[in-house]
């Protein structure tokens, strides 16, 4: 059963979630991009803005309507909340006969993610698989994950670099949300068709003014999503992709892409599924206290694969780009039973030289018999 | 996932730049519960500097302490070198996979190691010589670049004295005092008799050496299921969460460091993967 809330219902949702103890995080315009940050009401949303995305290019542009969610995805992903870029894991303190180690206790806030896209929900599910469902669980991720309310928004417009349809990850959110909205702006009417995915979602929806959606309203919402699915900026043929990449580790295309790749690691930072981290020891109080601090890392750095003796095992840009792309699209499947790519297009948009994972895959496919 | 304090109860100098630390976990309960299998490793923490993966070199039945043979190469190991008996380090583990020693009872064990990287196979050799009657022949093949790289000289001599045990040493660059073989480690394989169907080979060392040795063993008729290698990769978490130790589809800290060769062969034959 679907429901309808009107434009003011979004603010009612914000109030209800705030009253339930959630801090709201969602899209907002800052420094010429749509980023995720604390918000309090719909006034903080990118009202009337959209984005233009292409390989290595991103630009905000005014829309000719007052849509709240009329853009694709920006450089941020929700992973910054669940897997913080910098986190203290434990502390060690010197004592007379050695030291003690104290696990850092974390108390992350209850967070409501406002406006999560289908591809991002897939990315969350993939990170769940990696960080929660193996022998070892990331405790911070676990705690923050349990304190989420997910308000999804089905995409009303595909970005120029989007290919979620190819990755079976969108544009309609199929699971992983408490509440999902589809925004419809039709002439004078501006409303949202809402579906609850969980009892918590139902409860929140019931607390705001809503009506049962008419077949007409549902039809309008479905058409919005169908149009998005048809206007994907990119596509990626995933047929037998694991074999394709496993069998082509020596393909000449890797040398070509290595000529362009700067190994800057932007693609890994913006990717909503990339989860690699490193640790550093930070000492304080003249060496009496030490902290184990975890930070995001990237497989594009030389240090990432450093071992004493041979040195960096991936010393070339070729080996690092190949590692990244082969991991995303192929080895991830063996490791976690899912692709590591959801087709959000961020790595294409935010690559300074516009390297395109869909293009590279196609080139390798084209170059094989 | 947090290190527990362990006291250095013994520090033995093996050769220049290599020490064996005997560590005893301070918490009695944790110490008693600690069980490992040869081939597994611990993350060893030096206060204020960091953690590094180090193989456990002692016997799994020795519950009194845990030996770690450390080569001093950089930041963390450099600090370990300066520590003394009575000092405390951190320890978490054991992590990773182990050598197929239980499964190999009754069979010939061929140990192939190269360079300085033989710590993980020392555990194999000690295990077999302590249970000498349970295994067939033990053949230790060790290749080094230059004679000065020969560590564990005394151990090699001691191991060679065990029944049904052979030690073969070779170097690429012999000097006047070298009395063993010359050439890469694969040339040694030509010198030993093999019972291919009844042998298990366990290898550790430079990857080029392991690739060459595996090729040679396969040519000699040893089935691919009987070849095992121990792999080194950069490691930060040791529990499959940080991504550093990947080798193709494997996380070396989880499904390694000991792999049956055929499981990683595809990746192994593409350096840089
Ligand atoms: C499974 C496994 C078992 C090992 N067993 C032993 C052993 O029994 N004895 C021994 O002496 N050494 C062993 N090593 C190698 C040992 O971990 C490195 O020598 C050590 O990490 C170097 O750290 P460092 O801070 O002293 O050197 P630095 O050069 O300062 O190292 C900087 C960082 O690079 C990484 N690094 C450097 N070399 C290696 C390496 N070879 N493997 C993994 N990470 C590395 C570490 O993260 C280290 O913190 C093993 C490695 C692995 C993966
Ligand atoms: S592909 Fe692009 S974003 Fe990724 S490392 Fe290379 S240059 Fe940087
Ligand atoms: S690899 Fe690129 S397109 Fe795929 S999920 Fe990561 S950032 Fe998005
Ligand atoms: S060391 Fe972190 S994943 Fe293996």
């Amino acid at each position: 059963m679907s429901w309808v809330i009107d434009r003011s219902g979004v603010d009612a949702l914000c109030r209800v979630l705030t009253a339930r103890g959630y801090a709201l995080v969602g899209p907002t315009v800052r420094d010429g991009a749509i980023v995720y940050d604390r918000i309090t009401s719909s006034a903080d949303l990118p009202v009337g803005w959209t984005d233009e995305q292409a390989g290595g290019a991103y630009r905000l542009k005014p829309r000719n309507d007052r849509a709240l969610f009329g853009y694709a995805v920006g450089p941020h992903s929700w992973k910054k909340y669940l897997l913080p870029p910098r986190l203290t894991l434990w502390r060690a303190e010197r004592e007379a006969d050695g030291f003690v180690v104290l696990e850092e206790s974390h108390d992350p806030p209850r967070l409501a993610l406002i406006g999560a896209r289908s591809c991002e929900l897939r990315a969350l599910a993939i990170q769940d698989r990696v960080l929660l469902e193996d022998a070892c669980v990331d405790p911070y991720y676990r705690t923050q994950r349990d304190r989420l309310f997910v308000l999804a928004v089905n995409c009303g417009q595909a970005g120029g670099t989007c290919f979620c349809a190819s990755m079976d990850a969108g544009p309609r959110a199929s699971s992983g949300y408490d509440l999902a909205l589809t925004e419809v702006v039709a002439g004078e009417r501006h409303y949202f068709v809402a579906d609850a995915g969980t009892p918590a979602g139902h409860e929140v929806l019931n607390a705001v003014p809503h009506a049962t959606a008419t077949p007409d309203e549902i039809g309008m919402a479905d058409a919005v999503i169908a149009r998005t699915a048809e206007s994907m900026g990119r596509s990626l043929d995933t047929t037998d992709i694991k074999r394709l990449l496993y069998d082509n580790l020596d393909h000449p295309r890797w040398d070509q892409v290595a000529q362009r790749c700067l190994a800057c690691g932007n693609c890994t930072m913006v990717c909503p599924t990339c989860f690699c981290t490193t640790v550093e020891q930070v000492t304080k109080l003249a060496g009496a206290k030490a902290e184990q601090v975890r930070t995001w890392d990237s497989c594009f750095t030389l240090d990432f694969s450093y071992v004493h003796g041979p040195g960096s095992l991936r010393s070339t840009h070729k080996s690092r780009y190949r590692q990244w792309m082969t991991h995303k699209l192929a080895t991830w499947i063996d490791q976690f039973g899912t692709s590591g790519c959801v087709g959000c297009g961020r790595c294409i948009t935010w690559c300074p030289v516009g390297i395109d994972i869909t293009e590279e895959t196609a080139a390798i496919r084209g170059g094989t018999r | 996932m947090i290190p527990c304090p362990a006291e250095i109860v013994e520090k033995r100098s093996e050769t220049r730049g290599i020490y064996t630390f005997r560590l005893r976990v301070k918490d009695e309960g944790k110490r008693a519960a600690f069980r490992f299998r040869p081939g597994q490793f611990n993350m060893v923490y030096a206060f204020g500097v960091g953690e590094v993966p180090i193989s456990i070199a002692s016997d799994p039945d020795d519950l009194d302490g845990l030996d770690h043979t450390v080569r001093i190469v950089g930041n963390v190991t450099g600090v370990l070198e300066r520590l003394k008996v009575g000092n405390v380090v951190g320890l978490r583990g054991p992590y990773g996979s182990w050598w197929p020693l239980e499964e190999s009872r009754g069979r010939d064990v061929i140990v192939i190691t190269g360079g300085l990287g033989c710590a993980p196979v020392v555990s194999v050799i000690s295990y077999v010589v302590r249970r000498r009657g349970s295994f067939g022949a033990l053949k230790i093949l060790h290749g080094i670049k230059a004679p000065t790289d020969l560590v564990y000289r005394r151990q090699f001599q001691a191991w060679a004295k065990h029944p049904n045990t052979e030690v073969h040493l070779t170097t690429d660059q012999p000097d006047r005092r070298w009395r063993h073989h010359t050439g890469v480690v694969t040339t040694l394989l030509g010198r030993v008799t093999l019972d291919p169907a009844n042998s298990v080979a366990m290898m550790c060392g430079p990857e080029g050496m392991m690739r060459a040795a595996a090729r040679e063993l396969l040519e000699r008729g040893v089935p691919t299921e009987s070849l095992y290698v121990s792999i080194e990769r950069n490691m930060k978490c040791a529990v499959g969460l940080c991504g550093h130790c990947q080798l193709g589809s494997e996380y070396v800290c989880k499904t390694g460091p000991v792999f049956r060769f055929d499981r990683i062969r595809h990746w192994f034959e593409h350096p840089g993967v």
Side-chain angles (χ1 to χ4, degrees):
Chain A
M1 175 109 120
S2 297
W3 310 86
V4 161
I5 59 174
D6 62 16
R7 168 68 178 78
S8 65
V10 174
D11 283 304
L13 279 174
C14 290
R15 281 193 301 273
V16 167
L17 287 166
T18 306
R20 300 278 186 285
Y22 288 102
L24 311 184
V25 286
T28 191
V29 174
R30 200 204 303 143
D31 299 332
I34 292 169
V35 298
Y36 294 149
D37 208 340
R38 290 291 173 104
I39 59 168
T40 52
S41 72
S42 70
D44 296 324
L45 296 173
V47 184
W49 287 102
T50 190
D51 49 18
E52 255 180 9
Q53 303 198 32
Y58 178 96
R59 201 165 63 89
L60 286 188
K61 218 176 60 166
R63 294 173 59 93
N64 51 19
D65 60 24
R66 304 284 292 159
L68 306 184
F69 299 101
Y71 56 89
V73 289
H76 288 186
S77 71
W78 307 106
K79 81 173 175 188
K80 67 174 182 168
Y81 296 112
L82 291 129
L83 186 73
R86 194 177 169 86
L87 184 75
T88 299
L89 299 179
W90 46 264
R91 298 164 192 278
E93 290 180 12
R94 270 213 189 286
E95 285 191 334
D97 58 345
F99 56 85
V100 285
V101 183
L102 309 163
E103 185 150 19
E104 185 80 344
S105 62
H106 296 284
D107 188 18
R110 280 154 64 83
L111 281 185
L113 313 185
I114 307 296
R117 303 309 174 98
S118 177
C119 63
E120 301 185 301
L121 301 183
R122 274 294 300 148
L124 260 174
I126 291 171
Q127 288 213 323
D128 287 352
R129 171 66 192 86
V130 175
L131 301 170
L132 300 179
E133 288 163 26
D134 252 4
C136 203
V137 167
D138 178 0
Y140 187 92
Y141 188 96
R142 171 83 270 166
T143 313
Q144 181 66 83
R145 189 75 174 93
D146 291 340
R147 298 180 184 181
L148 289 189
F149 183 95
V150 178
L151 179 72
V153 168
N154 291 316
C155 288
Q157 166 184 338
T161 56
C162 289
F163 57 102
C164 64
S166 301
M167 305 314 288
D168 206 14
R172 182 197 286 275
S174 57
S175 65
Y177 56 83
D178 294 294
L179 207 53
L181 305 180
T182 309
E183 181 169 31
V184 180
V185 191
E188 288 302 292
R189 268 204 83 194
H190 187 180
Y191 62 93
F192 297 82
V193 173
D195 290 283
T198 60
H202 244 288
E203 193 270 322
V204 167
L205 185 61
N206 273 326
V208 304
H210 64 276
T212 306
T214 63
D216 207 35
E217 287 164 335
I218 295 174
M220 291 287 274
D222 286 347
V224 165
I225 303 169
R227 213 175 327 112
T228 307
E230 277 155 28
S231 57
M232 289 280 131
R234 298 281 198 280
S235 70
L236 191 149
D237 177 2
T238 58
T239 316
D240 219 0
I241 190 141
K242 200 177 91 176
R243 236 350 347 121
L244 176 76
L245 293 173
Y246 280 21
D247 289 347
N248 281 291
L249 297 171
D250 294 320
H251 197 284
R253 183 71 186 193
W254 301 119
D255 293 302
Q256 291 163 23
V257 69
Q259 301 277 312
R260 300 167 57 212
C261 177
L262 313 170
C264 65
N266 273 11
C267 47
T268 57
M269 296 294 123
V270 294
C271 179
T273 68
C274 274
F275 60 89
C276 289
T277 54
T278 188
V279 284
E280 62 181 291
Q281 279 271 306
V282 178
T283 51
K284 291 187 175 152
L285 288 174
K289 290 181 189 234
E291 279 180 24
Q292 182 84 334
V293 179
R294 184 183 76 186
T295 54
W296 284 0
D297 202 359
S298 168
C299 56
F300 279 94
T301 71
L302 258 184
D303 267 1
F304 191 84
S305 60
Y306 174 83
V307 291
H308 184 82
S312 176
L313 296 177
R314 295 191 203 101
S315 56
T316 60
H317 287 196
K318 168 186 166 176
S319 59
R320 279 176 261 158
Y321 186 83
R322 183 179 64 185
Q323 159 66 21
W324 179 72
M325 191 175 118
T326 308
H327 188 211
K328 290 276 107 170
L329 297 172
T331 49
W332 207 295
I333 298 172
D334 267 340
Q335 293 168 353
F336 304 111
T338 156
S339 174
C341 173
V342 299
C344 72
R346 287 182 178 89
C347 58
I348 308 170
T349 300
W350 297 95
C351 173
V353 294
I355 290 171
D356 180 339
I357 189 170
T358 66
E359 207 176 291
E360 294 312 308
T361 307
I364 286 176
R365 199 180 282 286
T368 41
R369 292 151 303 266
Chain B
M1 282 200 300
I2 68 171
C4 55
E7 188 180 342
I8 301 173
V9 290
E10 199 185 318
K11 179 184 179 189
R12 231 178 18 247
S13 169
E14 300 287 353
T15 182
R16 224 177 45 165
I18 299 188
Y19 300 86
T20 297
F21 295 90
R22 189 166 186 75
L23 304 178
R24 192 174 288 146
V25 174
K26 291 182 104 179
D27 183 286
E28 249 177 69
K30 284 186 186 147
R31 191 195 318 153
F34 195 100
R35 290 284 182 290
F36 72 95
R37 312 232 215 155
Q40 289 193 291
F41 65 96
N42 279 324
M43 290 302 275
V44 178
Y45 166 62
F47 183 88
V49 202
E51 294 184 299
V52 289
I54 303 287
S55 307
I56 310 170
S58 47
D59 196 274
D61 289 342
D62 173 358
L63 302 179
D64 176 55
L66 298 162
D67 286 347
H68 296 80
T69 299
V70 181
R71 190 152 67 91
I72 309 308
V73 297
N75 285 332
V76 174
T77 54
V79 169
L80 292 177
E81 179 173 34
R82 295 198 294 276
L83 295 182
K84 300 186 196 66
V85 170
N87 285 160
V88 174
V89 297
L91 208 63
R92 60 182 176 97
Y95 295 120
S97 59
W98 48 85
W99 299 106
L101 286 165
E102 284 303 315
E103 300 85 326
S104 303
R105 281 178 183 256
R107 304 176 74 186
D108 293 352
V109 177
I110 306 162
V111 172
I112 304 177
T113 92
L116 299 153
C118 56
V121 291
V122 171
S123 61
V124 170
I125 301 170
S126 330
Y127 187 93
V128 173
V129 301
R130 285 209 182 95
R131 296 159 183 79
R132 196 62 204 86
S134 308
F135 291 86
L138 171 62
K139 303 187 187 210
I140 303 166
L141 281 56
H142 181 55
I144 47 181
K145 210 176 243 134
T148 45
D149 292 343
L150 186 63
V151 300
Y152 304 116
R153 186 185 295 270
R154 274 172 296 134
Q155 281 95 325
F156 279 116
Q157 285 167 359
W159 290 326
K161 295 203 178 89
H162 285 270
N164 203 7
T165 302
E166 298 167 25
V167 173
H168 302 271
L169 303 175
T170 188
T171 181
D172 293 1
Q173 304 156 2
D175 58 16
R176 262 182 276 120
R177 284 164 43 220
W178 183 252
R179 272 176 279 116
H180 307 277
H181 301 289
T182 299
V184 293
V185 80
T186 40
T187 61
L188 283 181
L189 271 171
R191 291 200 169 85
V192 297
T193 52
L194 278 186
D195 176 2
N198 191 38
S199 295
V200 186
M202 305 189 199
M203 303 182 250
C204 180
E207 297 190 2
M209 178 221 85
M210 291 198 278
R211 268 191 287 275
R215 217 173 294 133
E216 180 80 19
L217 285 163
L218 291 170
E219 265 169 39
R220 298 272 310 263
V222 181
T224 155
E225 312 85 70
S226 300
L227 305 185
Y228 289 82
V229 292
S230 179
I231 304 280
E232 265 188 30
R233 281 293 178 275
N234 188 300
M235 290 187 182
K236 294 297 175 196
C237 72
V239 292
L241 294 177
C242 78
H244 276 259
C245 65
Q246 283 179 74
L247 172 66
S249 57
E250 307 300 317
Y251 286 89
V252 175
C253 67
K254 283 202 294 191
T255 47
V258 176
F259 289 101
R260 204 172 87 177
F261 183 67
D262 52 355
R263 178 128 188 223
I264 52 152
R265 185 173 190 180
H266 181 65
W267 310 115
F268 205 55
E269 295 192 339
H270 288 89
V273 158

